[in-house]
Amino acid sequence: MKILSGKQISEADKYTIEHDGITSEELMERAGTLVFKQIHQRLQGAPIPIKIFCGIGNNGGDGLVIGRHLIQHGYDVKLYTVAYSDKRSEDFLKNYEKIKDITNDWPGLIKEVDDFPEISVGDFVIDAIFGVGLNRPIESWVAKLVTHINDSGAFTLAVDIPSGLFDDQPPQGSVIQANYTLTFGAPKLVFYLPDTMDYAGEVQVLDIGLNKRFIAGIDSRTYLIGKQEAPALYQPRNKNSHKGDYGNILIAGGSYGKIGSVLLSATAAMHTGSGLCTLYVPKCGYEIIQSSLPEAMVLTDENEQKLSDFPIDFEADTIGFGMGAGTENESITAFEKLLQNQKKPILVDADGLNMLSKKPELLKLLPENSVLTPHPGELKRLIGEWENDFEKLEKARNFSKKFNVILVIKGAYTFILQNEELFINTSGNPGMATAGSGDVLSGVITSLMGQNYQPVAASILGVFIHGLSGDLVASAQGYEGVTSGEMARNMGKAFQYLFQKEIKTGGKE
Ligand SMILES: NC(=O)C1=CN([C@@H]2O[C@H](COP(=O)(O)OP(=O)(O)OC[C@H]3O[C@@H](n4cnc5c(N)ncnc54)[C@H](O)[C@@H]3O)[C@@H](O)[C@H]2O)[C@H](O)CC1
Ligand SMILES: [K+]
C-alpha cells in the first residue's frame, strides 16, 4: 500500500471530485459515515458519553458528519466547535446546518480555556480539530485544549490524523495522543516513524473511494508492506529442483562466548529454505555448531577465539557477515579480506557494521546491492547523529545512494531503504525485542539472497517473514515467551501463514 502525504491525498481528493462526479460534500459524507460505521461496530450502542471536538475546517466537518450519524443512532453525543478562527469551511457549514436539523442540542462553542468541557476517563473523545490542513503549530488556548484532552485519559479516536501532527515534518507543539486513528485514502509516514508513531496509536486506513488510477500514478516511493503485499514477493519452488537451487550460503562471525549468534543465523537460514549452509567461525565454535546444527557445515579459523582470516576460495552464493564477530583488529582484517575478494552482494550485520564504522574506508569495498541491517545504535555509528526521524531518513537515504547498499533499519516498524524507495514493514510485535532477534533476521535475508531473491526483495520478504514468525511465537507464548531460537525454528510456519489467515497477537495488524 502506498504511503502518501496529506498534500498528495488532497490532490487525489481534488482529482476525484473533478473526474468522478462527486462533490466534496459527498466525499466528506462518505468519510464521516465510514468512521461512524467503525465506531458503531465497536460500540454496538453502548451508552458511553461521546465528546466530539470539531475544528472549523474539513476535519471538523468530518466530525460533524460522524456526530450526526451517532446522534441518529441514539448515542450520547456532545459536539463542540473548536473555534480557533472565525473562518468556517463550506463543507463544515453545510454539516453544521444538518446538525441543527436533527437536534436542539447544538454544538458547544469553544473559544477559550473557560469553555473547555469536563472530560472524564470513561468518555470517548473524537478528535476532529485539525486534519492534514494543519499549517502551523497549534498555539495558545487550542494547545491547552489538546493537553486537556490528553490529560483526561479518555479513549481518543483521531479523525484522519491526530490534531497537531504534521504529516510531513516533525511535531512542533501540542499533539493529540490518540489510541486509534482512522485515516482516509492512504497511510501517512508519521504513523510509522519512531518519534511520532505513538501519537497515532492503532491505525486503520479507510478507503473513501479516491480515484485509484490517480493514486496509482502518484510518484510516491514509500510503501507499507503487509499481508497484501508480501506474498507477491514469494518465489514458488518447482518440483524439478534440488538443494543446489536453493543456495549455498556462508555465515561468518562469532567469537568466544558469542557463537550463539551465528548459530541462530544459520538455524534461521536452514528454516528459510537454504539448500546448503556453511559457517565460518573461530575454533571455539566447532563442537557447538556441529552438535547443535548437524545440517550445517563448519569451517574454522585457526584462531581459537575470534576471526582472523577469511576463506576466500570458498564458493558461496551469498555471505552473511558480522553477527557476534567482535571488532578486534584481526577480525577487521578478516572482513577486509572478504570485501577485497567478493563481488556478489553480501549481508553485513551487527559487529560487521561496527567494523565499517570503525574503519569507514571499508565502505567503498562493499559489493553493490549489499544489505546492511543496523539497529538504530549501529545506524548512528554509520551515518552520524540526527535531530529527528526525517533527518535520519535523509541521511540514511544519502548513505544508501552513496554506497549503493540496501539499509534494513530495524525497529518497531522496520524500514527497508534502497535509494529513493522506502518499504515499511507492519508484521511483528514487541515480544521480538529479545536477544538474537537480529541474528535470526540476518539468517533469513542471507538465505533468501542465496535463493536468488534480489537483495531488496530478500530484505522486504525476509523482514516480513521474520515478523510473522515473531507473531506466531507471540500468539502461542505471549510477548514475554518469544525467543529468537523459537522464531528461527518457526520460519517455515511463517511461510505457510504467508498465504493463510491473519495472526492476531494483539500486535499492530
Ligand atoms: N482528502 C480526503 O481524503 C478528505 C479529507 N477530508 C478531511 O479534510 C481534512 C483536512 O481539513 P483540515 O485539516 O481541517 O484543514 P482545512 O484547511 O479544511 O481547515 C484547517 C483550517 O485551520 C487553519 N489552521 C491550520 N493550522 C492551524 C493552526 N495551527 N492554528 C490555527 N488555525 C490553523 C487553516 O488555515 C484552515 O483555515 C482531512 O484531514 C480530512 O479529515 C474531507 O473531509 C474528506 C475527504
Ligand atoms: K484530527
Side-chain angles (χ1 to χ4, degrees):
M1 188 188 293
K2 267 186 184 176
I3 286 185
L4 299 178
S5 69
K7 197 164 140 299
Q8 289 170 323
I9 293 183
S10 302
E11 283 155 20
D13 210 9
K14 224 158 95 274
Y15 182 90
T16 304
I17 290 164
E18 282 155 16
H19 291 76
D20 297 357
I22 80 161
T23 64
S24 66
E25 188 186 353
E26 283 161 347
L27 207 50
M28 182 173 281
E29 185 63 27
R30 212 183 272 182
T33 308
L34 282 172
V35 172
F36 158 71
K37 284 185 179 149
Q38 290 290 327
I39 296 171
H40 189 38
Q41 242 168 30
R42 285 170 176 72
L43 289 191
Q44 304 272 325
I48 296 175
I50 300 172
K51 292 189 168 69
I52 309 178
F53 294 87
C54 302
I56 45 84
N58 287 342
N59 197 242
D62 291 345
L64 293 172
V65 173
I66 299 162
R68 171 164 38 89
H69 289 291
L70 286 168
I71 292 168
Q72 286 174 322
H73 282 72
Y75 283 94
D76 167 8
V77 179
K78 186 66 195 128
L79 280 155
Y80 300 93
T81 304
V82 181
Y84 46 72
S85 111
D86 297 335
K87 286 186 288 184
R88 297 287 183 274
S89 82
E90 215 181 295
D91 292 338
F92 173 93
L93 290 172
K94 287 179 187 161
N95 279 290
Y96 196 85
E97 288 311 308
K98 288 182 188 170
I99 290 286
K100 284 162 56 175
D101 296 345
I102 62 151
T103 170
N104 297 324
D105 183 10
W106 293 1
L109 185 64
I110 301 179
K111 291 182 73 71
E112 56 183 19
V113 174
D114 293 348
D115 300 333
F116 292 0
E118 272 307 300
I119 306 172
S120 42
V121 68
D123 289 354
F124 177 6
V125 167
I126 296 177
D127 156 34
I129 304 170
F130 290 108
V132 292
L134 184 78
N135 56 29
R136 55 190 187 280
I138 297 181
E139 288 133 2
S140 76
W141 62 269
V142 192
K144 291 193 176 76
L145 175 61
V146 168
T147 308
H148 179 63
I149 292 170
N150 288 343
D151 291 351
S152 72
F155 184 93
T156 302
L157 165 72
V159 176
D160 203 25
I161 188 169
S163 295
L165 196 55
F166 293 98
D167 67 279
D168 55 1
Q169 56 179 286
Q172 293 153 38
S174 311
V175 180
I176 284 284
Q177 181 66 58
N179 301 81
Y180 217 97
T181 296
L182 290 173
T183 196
F184 305 128
K188 281 77 179 174
L189 178 60
V190 283
F191 298 160
Y192 308 95
L193 296 173
D195 298 348
T196 44
M197 61 183 269
D198 290 337
Y199 288 117
E202 293 268 320
V203 175
Q204 200 176 329
V205 181
L206 298 180
D207 178 354
I208 61 171
L210 296 181
N211 186 289
K212 298 231 179 327
R213 228 181 22 268
F214 182 84
I215 288 195
I218 293 178
D219 178 24
S220 156
R221 320 293 289 276
T222 308
Y223 305 89
L224 216 49
I225 299 295
K227 279 284 291 209
Q228 283 67 40
E229 294 78 14
L233 293 166
Y234 176 74
Q235 290 171 8
R237 296 193 158 201
N238 65 34
K239 197 139 180 55
N240 175 17
S241 61
H242 56 86
K243 66 174 178 261
D245 297 324
Y246 300 108
N248 169 15
I249 63 169
L250 180 67
I251 302 244
S255 54
Y256 187 78
K258 292 197 271 184
I259 295 301
S261 56
V262 281
L263 179 56
L264 284 164
S265 293
T267 306
M270 294 314 285
H271 287 272
T272 303
S274 282
L276 294 163
C277 175
T278 303
L279 288 97
Y280 181 66
V281 292
K283 273 210 180 71
C284 63
Y286 183 72
E287 306 292 328
I288 300 165
I289 292 167
Q290 288 278 254
S291 48
S292 323
L293 188 64
E295 295 88 349
M297 294 165 279
V298 184
L299 295 174
T300 52
D301 193 290
E302 87 263 0
N303 187 303
E304 183 62 33
Q305 314 228 327
K306 60 196 155 198
L307 295 186
S308 61
D309 194 358
F310 197 83
I312 50 172
D313 46 8
F314 182 86
E315 274 304 307
D317 293 315
T318 305
I319 300 168
F321 180 87
M323 10 4 228
T327 54
E328 306 273 336
N329 290 336
E330 303 93 311
S331 306
I332 295 180
T333 312
F335 188 24
E336 189 155 5
K337 190 169 175 184
L338 186 183
L339 291 172
Q340 279 157 351
N341 293 280
Q342 176 70 17
K343 289 296 157 259
K344 287 186 279 186
I346 63 172
L347 177 138
V348 184
D349 182 31
D351 284 329
L353 299 170
N354 295 328
M355 291 182 195
L356 292 172
S357 303
K358 252 179 111 170
K359 199 170 180 187
E361 52 272 36
L362 296 180
L363 286 165
K364 60 181 178 310
L365 300 176
L366 284 167
E368 275 206 352
N369 261 342
S370 288
V371 177
L372 276 52
T373 55
H375 60 52
E378 290 155 345
L379 182 69
K380 212 161 270 186
R381 283 190 283 276
L382 272 177
I383 67 173
E385 299 283 332
W386 53 78
E387 283 298 304
N388 56 60
D389 288 328
F390 289 86
E391 190 191 334
K392 171 175 76 173
L393 276 181
E394 194 53 39
K395 294 181 86 165
R397 196 161 273 145
N398 294 339
F399 181 91
S400 162
K401 277 192 252 184
K402 183 174 176 189
F403 298 106
N404 206 340
V405 294
I406 290 143
L407 278 175
V408 175
I409 305 172
K410 295 179 280 194
Y413 290 104
T414 291
F415 282 33
I416 297 108
L417 203 151
Q418 180 176 39
N419 301 330
E420 290 303 324
E421 304 233 300
L422 170 61
F423 305 90
I424 300 177
N425 180 62
T426 58
S427 67
N429 63 75
M432 295 168 59
T434 179
S437 187
D439 301 319
V440 169
L441 175 63
S442 301
V444 173
I445 298 175
T446 305
S447 174
L448 292 174
M449 288 167 75
Q451 298 181 52
N452 265 330
Y453 282 82
Q454 282 305 310
V456 72
S459 302
I460 298 167
L461 180 61
V463 165
F464 186 78
I465 287 285
H466 178 252
L468 220 41
S469 73
D471 288 341
L472 274 170
V473 177
S475 59
Q477 305 181 32
Y479 289 157
E480 290 72 13
V482 176
T483 62
S484 43
E486 275 290 290
M487 285 167 54
R489 286 186 287 278
N490 274 280
M491 264 336 131
K493 222 162 145 208
F495 273 104
Q496 288 175 317
Y497 265 88
L498 198 54
F499 298 97
Q500 282 170 17
K501 58 187 184 300
E502 292 294 310
I503 308 168
K504 286 287 165 214
T505 59
K508 299 183 286 290
E509 67 288 359

